Amino acid sequence: MSADTTQVVQALKSYIDNRFTRSILRRFASKCKRDGKSRLEVALELYSGVRDEACFFCKHVAHPLVSRVISRSGEAFGASEQAMKEKFKDPYWRRGLVSVIKGIVKYGVRRPFTPGAPFLIVWDITARCNLRCKHCYSTAGKPLPNELSTEEALKVVEDLADMGVAAIAFSGGEPLLRPDFFEIVKATRDSGIFPALATNATLITKEMARKLKEAGVGFVQISLDGANAATHDSFRGVEGAFEKTLAGIRNSVDEGLFVEVSCTITRFNLNELDQILGLCEKLRVNWFMMFNFVPTGRGRFIMENDLSPLEREEVLRKLWSRLRNPSELTVLSTAPQFARVALQTETLEDVEVVPTHFYNMSLPGRLKGLSEFVGGCGAGRVYASIEPEGQIQPCVFFPLTVGNVREEPFSEVWDTNQVFWDLRDREKLKGSCGSCKYKYVCGGCRARAYGYFGDYLAPDPGCINNLEYWRRLTQEYGVGAQLSLTPSSPPS
């Protein structure tokens, strides 16, 4: 453990992870009948200045203690009190922090940490889709016979809200094809959860973009797999999809929606990455997300076109270089190695941003320590997925059912499921992932480990530290190519 991380751990244990503070904070996790929210959330509203009045207990008991805990914890990470107050004026950041505190109260200070509720649920609300993508993890097309009803879906939203989930990303299939989509979105927004949409955008007309904006959808993730129609349409399986997707992106941007373009990088489109990034800048989108290819669903049939570890390393270095240079386009990646690349490329004194696929952290101070708490792959730890018929999975790319919302509350699965707890414990990782000094920052993609080896604790074969595993795959399946490439600097 680095001196930086040790200092952060000791600070958090001193300020939060002790019997007295955890006992008090546990009481604050309950809902205040007068103020209508958990006492933790009310105290945070008072701390950040978005609320002036509250009941006596929330204002004069919960607020002072919570304020002290937040301020001192911010000091541990090198953040000023003013910066903390500004950040937590955002209601979704407050909800996320409440979840962090609940996690420490429930589980103690862990590395990487586990919140009391997932920050994000990716919810495939239907398998119905108007495209037929080669790499589709859900093999979408026709709706499944027993998809959750409207009533069941609204009950799930209520359960997730009570649990403290910060955001739900509605995905599919194509979620806009579900007739009750906007009814579910309204319930989500009204419950205090941030609603987001993952879509192919072919159905986002100007009218639909306006409707999404009015419904309170705060984030739209749009899939784009090539810089031209030939590549994109080939990937998406429908001629004309490219032009419709571009129109959907333009309509979303024009309506003022926050737009992220996501792209699964494989050997099909690797040589178009620069053009895709240029197209994103031209379209004025906010974020670009490089998705890791995971061999699941229909994607199993393009395993041979996965990037080699060395190709992936070069892509991440390219994205890091762009991220280090000021641009209106922010780049992210679901590859957990992105944070490791950042920390290896720069000296700790120079690192101002540690990238994650939720958010690129730019909090000044001890970013190395903070990145070990955020912790790379978050499957079953900071996010999870719900499938159209109610199955709970660690991640949409990770088809291992651990429960069903029809049979038990999501909150119960989150607290007790052994698969989730395995994924939260980096000491259980096998091979190079288990011995890597960056295992708390990265941890490897657990979905890729499961997809390639059937073992979610196995090494991620997409990392340059796991070349021997990649070579075995190439011998067995013919996956990838160009293993003779030399990385620009060796892993440490």
Side-chain angles (χ1 to χ4, degrees):
M1 187 184 299
S2 67
D4 177 70
T5 303
T6 301
Q7 189 172 3
V8 171
V9 171
Q10 289 175 344
L12 288 177
K13 283 186 174 293
S14 172
Y15 305 146
I16 302 179
D17 194 14
N18 61 73
R19 184 176 299 179
F20 173 75
T21 304
R22 286 174 66 180
S23 174
I24 295 297
L25 290 174
R26 190 174 291 113
R27 291 187 60 193
F28 296 169
S30 62
K31 188 173 184 178
C32 174
K33 292 182 180 179
R34 174 182 162 179
D35 296 321
K37 299 178 179 179
S38 75
R39 296 190 187 279
L40 279 173
E41 194 164 355
V42 173
L44 277 174
E45 290 178 346
L46 291 166
Y47 172 77
S48 58
V50 299
R51 174 193 284 260
D52 295 321
E53 295 300 325
C55 75
F56 180 87
F57 187 87
C58 286
K59 188 168 186 176
H60 297 286
V61 180
H63 173 221
L65 181 59
V66 170
S67 295
R68 178 175 174 79
V69 166
I70 300 307
S71 296
R72 298 298 295 274
S73 298
E75 290 173 11
F77 291 117
S80 70
E81 184 167 10
Q82 186 57 39
M84 299 287 282
K85 287 183 177 181
E86 284 300 316
K87 185 64 70 177
F88 295 116
K89 286 181 179 179
D90 185 315
Y92 302 110
W93 277 93
R94 290 198 300 275
R95 196 174 182 89
L97 181 59
V98 168
S99 187
V100 171
I101 295 173
K102 285 182 178 179
I104 293 175
V105 167
K106 282 184 178 182
Y107 318 128
V109 173
R110 301 172 59 86
R111 186 173 60 125
F113 84 100
T114 299
F119 290 151
L120 174 68
I121 294 291
V122 180
W123 187 352
D124 292 339
I125 58 173
T126 183
R128 181 181 299 172
C129 192
N130 56 338
L131 302 182
R132 188 171 176 80
C133 306
K134 287 182 178 178
H135 58 324
C136 180
Y137 61 79
S138 62
T139 318
K142 295 181 179 180
L144 297 176
N146 198 26
E147 295 185 353
L148 295 174
S149 67
T150 302
E151 183 180 359
E152 289 174 316
L154 296 178
K155 187 175 184 302
V156 171
V157 171
E158 183 180 354
D159 177 45
L160 297 178
D162 289 343
M163 183 185 179
V165 170
I168 296 176
F170 294 102
S171 187
E174 174 48 59
L176 293 177
L177 288 173
R178 179 158 169 150
D180 58 359
F181 170 74
F182 284 100
E183 183 177 354
I184 299 171
V185 166
K186 182 179 185 303
T188 301
R189 182 200 61 202
D190 291 349
S191 71
I193 299 176
F194 183 85
L197 169 66
T199 174
N200 60 44
T202 59
L203 303 177
I204 302 184
T205 60
K206 290 185 180 296
E207 181 183 356
M208 178 62 76
R210 190 176 307 113
K211 193 172 181 181
L212 289 169
K213 181 77 170 180
E214 292 171 351
V217 173
F219 182 97
V220 180
Q221 182 185 83
I222 298 173
S223 300
L224 183 68
D225 291 302
N228 55 68
T231 304
H232 181 83
D233 291 357
S234 173
F235 232 56
R236 293 279 149 180
V238 174
E239 188 175 346
F242 181 71
E243 292 302 330
K244 289 182 178 179
T245 295
L246 292 191
I249 293 172
R250 293 188 185 99
N251 292 335
S252 299
V253 170
D254 290 346
E255 192 57 45
L257 294 165
F258 192 101
V259 178
E260 174 188 276
V261 163
S262 64
C263 182
T264 301
I265 301 295
T266 66
R267 301 190 70 234
F268 281 118
N269 57 7
L270 176 59
N271 63 349
E272 294 182 24
L273 178 57
D274 287 331
Q275 295 98 310
I276 294 170
L277 290 167
L279 180 57
C280 288
E281 291 177 333
K282 183 179 178 180
L283 292 167
R284 298 180 291 115
V285 305
N286 302 91
W287 287 0
F288 169 83
M289 170 73 80
M290 172 201 155
F291 265 75
N292 237 359
F293 168 74
V294 180
T296 187
R298 278 199 294 269
R300 292 198 67 82
F301 299 101
I302 58 169
M303 286 171 62
E304 66 274 15
N305 289 291
D306 192 4
L307 300 182
S308 74
L310 301 173
E311 289 169 325
R312 179 174 285 100
E313 190 79 0
E314 292 305 314
V315 168
L316 293 176
R317 286 177 181 274
K318 176 179 287 190
L319 293 180
W320 173 245
S321 177
R322 289 185 66 100
L323 185 56
R324 290 287 282 140
N325 295 314
S327 170
E328 292 184 4
L329 178 66
T330 296
V331 295
L332 306 94
S333 176
T334 62
Q337 292 85 8
F338 199 16
R340 187 259 302 158
V341 166
L343 292 171
Q344 280 185 316
T345 304
E346 313 290 332
T347 65
L348 286 181
E349 291 76 18
D350 292 335
V351 175
E352 297 176 358
V353 177
V354 173
T356 76
H357 73 267
F358 278 121
Y359 183 71
N360 289 334
M361 299 181 298
S362 58
L363 186 68
R366 302 182 181 92
L367 276 174
K368 175 64 161 57
L370 181 58
S371 65
E372 291 193 353
F373 279 92
V374 174
C377 181
R381 183 178 60 85
V382 295
Y383 62 82
S385 75
I386 299 174
E387 295 306 294
E389 295 181 314
Q391 301 95 325
I392 300 169
Q393 298 179 176
C395 166
V396 291
F397 300 102
F398 192 156
L400 177 62
T401 298
V402 298
N404 193 298
V405 294
R406 283 186 164 123
E407 300 166 3
E408 54 189 326
F410 188 98
S411 53
E412 185 174 324
V413 176
W414 186 255
D415 281 341
T416 63
N417 183 263
Q418 187 57 51
V419 173
F420 281 177
W421 282 108
D422 286 345
L423 293 167
R424 296 164 186 172
D425 187 353
R426 295 289 163 80
E427 303 306 318
K428 291 187 175 182
L429 296 180
K430 300 174 182 178
S432 298
C433 282
S435 60
C436 180
K437 75 175 186 178
Y438 293 99
K439 66 182 177 183
Y440 301 110
V441 173
C442 169
C445 176
R446 297 299 96 213
R448 283 176 56 83
Y450 185 74
Y452 275 115
F453 301 116
D455 179 357
Y456 52 77
L457 297 176
D460 175 357
C463 179
I464 55 173
N465 290 333
N466 295 326
L467 278 173
E468 64 173 294
Y469 296 94
W470 182 256
R471 290 190 177 100
R472 290 184 205 170
L473 290 169
T474 62
Q475 292 169 4
E476 186 171 353
Y477 299 112
V479 177
Q482 301 183 33
L483 293 178
S484 61
L485 291 175
T486 302
S488 49
S489 62
S492 57

